[in-house]
């Protein structure tokens, strides 16, 4: 599964003149991890994203956009499986309103960096 992030990552490494082995040493991972990241078969964790950002001197907003899209899709699917007949009590009073707001946020996502 080649992603835009994986493509950008490989391009950034080549532009900087680094080898996958160079990046692996700087990230303290095996070279196969760098290959997997550049191939799009795995996603980097937060520490890896920050390290890559430091190495290349740039942010990888495309990755966050892809992750946001994937998370939005999965969350919509999980919301559809929520029980419909929840009895309203003091503990669930705001449930309907909160779900409505969540649907709105998922339908109309805000630009990155805005809460």
């Amino acid at each position: 599964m080649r992603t835009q992030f994986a493509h950008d990552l490989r391009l950034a490494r080549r532009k900087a003149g680094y080898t996958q082995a160079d990046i692996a040493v700087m990230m303290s991972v095996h070279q196969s991890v760098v290959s997997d990241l550049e191939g799009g078969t795995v996603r980097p964790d937060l520490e890896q994203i920050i390290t890559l950002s430091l190495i290349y001197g740039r942010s990888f907003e495309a990755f966050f956009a892809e992750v946001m899209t994937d998370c939005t899709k999965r969350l919509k699917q999980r919301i559809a499986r929520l029980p419909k007949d929840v009895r309203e009590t003091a503990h669930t009073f705001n449930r309907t309103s909160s779900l409505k707001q969540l649907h709105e946020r998922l339908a109309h996502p805000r630009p990155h960096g805005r809460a």
Side-chain angles (χ1 to χ4, degrees):
M1 174 182 88
R2 189 82 172 175
T3 63
Q4 185 62 45
F5 172 78
H7 175 75
D8 290 347
L9 185 59
R10 183 176 181 157
L11 190 63
R13 178 181 57 79
R14 287 182 169 181
K15 186 176 179 181
Y18 294 130
T19 65
Q20 285 185 345
D22 293 333
I23 301 303
V25 169
M26 288 188 267
M27 293 179 66
S28 190
V29 298
H30 192 272
Q31 184 177 342
S32 64
V33 172
V34 177
S35 177
D36 289 344
L37 291 170
E38 290 184 359
T41 57
V42 297
R43 288 184 170 166
D45 62 27
L46 182 59
E47 183 176 339
Q48 290 170 335
I49 292 169
I50 292 168
T51 302
L52 290 166
S53 293
L54 291 168
I55 291 169
Y56 297 121
R58 58 183 285 206
S59 68
F60 289 99
E61 291 177 356
F63 174 73
F64 293 109
E66 290 173 11
V67 172
M68 185 68 85
T69 299
D70 291 346
C71 288
T72 299
K73 180 181 175 183
R74 287 194 306 270
L75 184 55
K76 285 179 180 180
Q77 292 169 347
R78 290 189 296 252
I79 289 171
R81 294 192 303 258
L82 283 173
K84 305 288 186 228
D85 56 348
V86 174
R87 188 173 60 118
E88 191 169 301
T89 68
H91 298 289
T92 62
F93 179 74
N94 287 326
R95 184 177 189 266
T96 301
S97 175
S98 293
L99 285 172
K100 183 178 177 181
Q101 290 172 6
L102 178 55
H103 280 288
E104 274 296 309
R105 285 193 306 272
L106 294 175
H108 306 288
R110 293 182 179 164
H112 299 299
R114 294 193 169 185

